[in-house]
Amino acid sequence: LPEAFFTTFRCLVAGECSDANGRPIFVHLAGEFGWHIGMIYCFACVLITFGLFNVIVAIFVENTVAAARHNKHRIKQIRILDKEMFHRKSLELVRLVLRSLPDDANNSIGNMASMTSLNYEDVKSVLITPEIFEGLRIKPEFREILRDLDIPDEEQFDLFDTLDIDGGGTIDLEELTQGIWKLRGDARRSDIVSVGLMVRNLQIEVHQLKASLPQPVGR
């Protein structure tokens, strides 16, 4: 019995299916007991070669992809938490916006794009219209800065409407930078909960306002 188990191990693992005299075992068995033994042997070889080995390779590939995905997610989290990089890219974005202003829109502000430092008080009055933003969006430099700030291309098409929270038709530089900061990264559970709490608080205030209004007198 031990010799039989050892022979089975040699056949299945090492692929050495021969007896002590070097004769093929399964050819001898097929001639002795019929070729159905050979068919079983062929089926077992195909199952092990294309079945078991593929499962092992699939597990290895899955673990490799999972590790790469985790590493990519970790690198993205580190990049999102890098405030210095965000400030540097935001400054590049502001300079690009100032350079893209129309000639008739505050030439003095447009000239600030070449300055080494920018003063918030000087640029806070800059308003970006949909036309200016569309002109920015088609520039490769603008799209590249947004990609570096983790704003994918598919979210850049309606980015102006997303940042124009008051629906006024214009956004300033503060709304642009703060909106991009909040859009970075994937949606988190805290974002969804925060929106739900704000909507609930708004509903409470609306009900309180409705209750404080005088009720109409029936005719």
Side-chain angles (χ1 to χ4, degrees):
L1 184 61
E3 184 178 356
F5 276 109
F6 180 64
T7 303
T8 304
F9 176 80
R10 287 169 47 219
C11 289
L12 297 179
V13 177
E16 184 185 357
C17 297
S18 59
D19 58 10
N21 297 323
R23 296 176 300 179
I25 294 178
F26 285 96
V27 174
H28 177 70
L29 291 177
E32 185 72 21
F33 300 102
W35 282 102
H36 63 278
I37 299 296
M39 295 178 63
I40 295 176
Y41 169 72
C42 293
F43 176 77
C45 289
V46 171
L47 179 64
I48 293 175
T49 303
F50 297 99
L52 182 60
F53 288 169
N54 284 347
V55 170
I56 295 175
V57 172
I59 294 175
F60 176 77
V61 172
E62 182 181 2
N63 291 336
T64 303
V65 172
R69 188 183 301 112
H70 176 75
N71 186 47
K72 181 180 179 181
H73 179 72
R74 180 60 180 169
I75 294 176
K76 184 177 181 180
Q77 290 295 325
I78 295 176
R79 187 171 64 251
I80 291 176
L81 296 176
D82 189 356
K83 294 184 178 180
E84 182 179 353
M85 188 274 291
F86 178 78
H87 292 159
R88 184 175 65 254
K89 290 296 180 179
S90 298
L91 184 59
E92 295 179 10
L93 183 64
V94 170
R95 293 184 186 277
L96 180 60
V97 171
L98 295 179
R99 291 197 303 267
S100 303
L101 290 177
D103 296 335
D104 57 348
N106 296 331
N107 291 328
S108 60
I109 295 179
N111 294 331
M112 292 181 184
S114 59
M115 296 175 60
T116 56
S117 62
L118 295 175
N119 190 346
Y120 172 74
E121 296 297 330
D122 296 330
V123 299
K124 67 178 183 179
S125 60
V126 175
L127 296 178
I128 305 174
T129 62
E131 292 76 17
I132 296 177
F133 190 86
E134 183 63 23
L136 287 168
R137 194 181 62 80
I138 62 178
K139 292 184 177 181
E141 183 180 359
F142 181 77
R143 296 198 302 266
E144 186 64 26
I145 293 176
L146 292 182
R147 292 192 198 103
D148 294 338
L149 294 174
D150 298 287
I151 307 298
D153 293 343
E154 59 270 15
E155 294 187 6
Q156 297 180 14
F157 291 99
D158 56 351
L159 183 59
F160 183 88
D161 296 332
T162 303
L163 299 179
D164 187 16
I165 55 177
D166 58 356
T170 58
I171 58 175
D172 55 27
L173 294 178
E174 183 177 4
E175 288 177 326
L176 178 64
T177 55
Q178 289 186 357
I180 292 177
W181 170 262
K182 293 180 181 179
L183 286 175
R184 300 181 70 200
D186 300 328
R188 299 178 296 271
R189 183 179 179 183
S190 58
D191 299 329
I192 301 175
V193 173
S194 177
V195 172
L197 292 176
M198 287 189 293
V199 172
R200 183 178 180 182
N201 183 61
L202 181 61
Q203 289 177 338
I204 294 176
E205 293 181 356
V206 170
H207 287 310
Q208 291 177 350
L209 178 62
K210 182 179 179 180
S212 63
L213 294 177
Q215 298 295 329
V217 180
R219 295 181 180 179

